């Protein structure tokens, strides 16, 4: 699983400077490894999140509430909801 994460970060580094299409490979590979490690932590009951994680989750909740309240004003609401996935990687 470490190799998948390494490849994901390599695609991220390359994709940031070249193309959005390469970034999609990062999202897929990193999502797989994040899901695996999250499942493994829940299974072994070793969930110890740092305080910054709770602040990040609070930010995501506030951002979702803000998007819902301003849904009619946003030109492309789907894009804005899609951008929240980057914070979920944290």
């Amino acid at each position: 699983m470490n190799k998948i994460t390494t490849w994901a970060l390599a695609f991220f580094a390359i994709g940031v400077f070249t193309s959005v299409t390469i970034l999609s490979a990062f999202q897929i590979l990193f999502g797989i490894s994040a899901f695996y490690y999250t499942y493994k932590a829940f299974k072994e009951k070793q969930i110890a999140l740092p305080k910054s994680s709770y602040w990040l989750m609070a930010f995501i909740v506030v951002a979702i509430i803000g998007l819902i309240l301003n849904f009619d004003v946003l030109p492309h609401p789907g894009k804005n909801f899609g951008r929240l996935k980057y914070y979920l990687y944290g």
Side-chain angles (χ1 to χ4, degrees), residues 14-90:
I14 295 168
V16 164
F17 298 110
T18 58
S19 150
V20 177
T21 307
I22 295 174
L23 281 175
S24 64
F26 156 73
Q27 294 173 2
I28 292 169
L29 292 176
F30 194 73
I32 291 170
S33 61
F35 178 75
Y36 170 75
Y37 286 119
T38 303
Y39 172 74
K40 186 176 173 183
F42 274 115
K43 185 176 174 185
E44 297 174 0
K45 297 184 190 261
Q46 294 179 348
I47 301 171
L49 296 175
K51 291 180 183 178
S52 61
S53 296
Y54 294 110
W55 285 105
L56 183 61
M57 287 187 276
F59 172 75
I60 292 170
V61 169
V62 169
I64 290 172
I65 291 170
L67 286 172
I68 290 171
L69 292 176
N70 295 313
F71 192 79
D72 57 338
V73 179
L74 298 171
H76 303 288
K79 269 188 175 180
N80 294 318
F81 280 108
R83 289 180 182 152
L84 289 177
K85 69 183 168 197
Y86 299 114
Y87 297 106
L88 291 174
Y89 288 142

